[in-house]
Amino acid sequence: MKIAVLAVQGAFIEHEKMLASLGAEVIELRKKKDVLQEFDGLVLPGGESTVQGKLIRELDMFDILKKKIEDGIPVLATCAGLILLAEKISNDTRKHFATLPVTVMRNAYGRQLESFYTEGDFGKLKNVPMEFIRAPYIESVGEDVEILSKVDDNIVAVKYNNQLAMSFHPELLSDTRIHEEFLGMLI
Ligand code: GLN
């Protein structure tokens, strides 16, 4: 199983380490030639969605990745990655892949609460540790989007066909269950 991790900006190394610890082969997507390779799953890490969105266009990776997502490659997206997938960003005129029928709000927790930790359910998984860093949340979801987690009534994780997306950062903690769930989508 070969997993490609978008590695133009942000917290990609932590995803790579976690996936490798679970036995996956990991490659980094840094340039156009990297996205032309065959791979079985895609990770869109946290970071700064505006910077990532700009770089993937400038590096000419955007169309190829969008097509792969639309064609059904399993995707794990965290934080900025969720913003890259969202069909609509309520407080930004930009949009990126727009393959996930949700509306997200960037930096939704405001300056007072830039970062916080909590635990919650993630679909059938219980007491999943969740680290939020200048996180978005999901304001509304389209048809057929499965809501996996809510924190204080806000939607923070969803699944839609091949796309598993969340506001928080499972890769920064030691619980590997979400990454295992993602690898399970590849079988
Ligand atoms: N605030 C960032 C954005 O808007 C996301 C933060 C993160 O990925 N930790 O892109």
Side-chain angles (χ1 to χ4, degrees), residues 16 21 26 35 49 63 70 76-77 84 100 102 106 109 125 138 143 146-147 160 162 173 176:
E16 292 171 12
S21 80
V26 179
V35 294
S49 57
D63 292 337
E70 285 169 347
L76 172 66
L84 290 187
L100 181 65
V102 300
R106 295 184 59 203
Y109 294 92
L125 306 176
I138 298 169
E143 232 177 278
E146 187 187 347
I147 295 170
Y160 176 69
N162 55 316
L173 302 164
T176 57

Side-chain angles (χ1 to χ4, degrees), residues 3-34:
I3 310 296
V5 180
L6 183 66
V8 293
Q9 191 269 340
F12 51 87
I13 290 166
E14 293 80 358
H15 278 291
E16 292 171 12
K17 285 190 182 151
M18 194 166 266
L19 290 163
S21 80
L22 295 170
E25 185 188 341
V26 179
I27 59 165
E28 291 188 342
L29 303 179
R30 291 176 175 273
K31 317 186 182 75
K32 183 172 184 178
K33 75 166 179 35
D34 301 328

Side-chain angles (χ1 to χ4, degrees), residues 158-177:
V158 292
K159 184 168 184 213
Y160 176 69
N161 300 328
N162 55 316
Q163 301 172 63
L164 186 62
M166 62 221 67
S167 307
F168 54 91
H169 288 266
E171 78 285 5
L172 299 182
L173 302 164
S174 55
D175 192 311
T176 57
R177 286 178 291 167

Side-chain angles (χ1 to χ4, degrees), residues 98-136:
T99 51
L100 181 65
V102 300
T103 299
V104 295
M105 184 190 274
R106 295 184 59 203
N107 304 314
Y109 294 92
R111 283 170 188 271
Q112 269 69 36
L113 202 61
E114 283 221 320
S115 304
F116 64 98
Y117 172 87
T118 189
E119 287 178 12
D121 294 348
F122 183 92
K124 291 195 200 80
L125 306 176
K126 303 287 169 211
N127 302 107
V128 174
M130 302 175 176
E131 184 73 44
F132 290 79
I133 305 170
R134 292 187 304 284

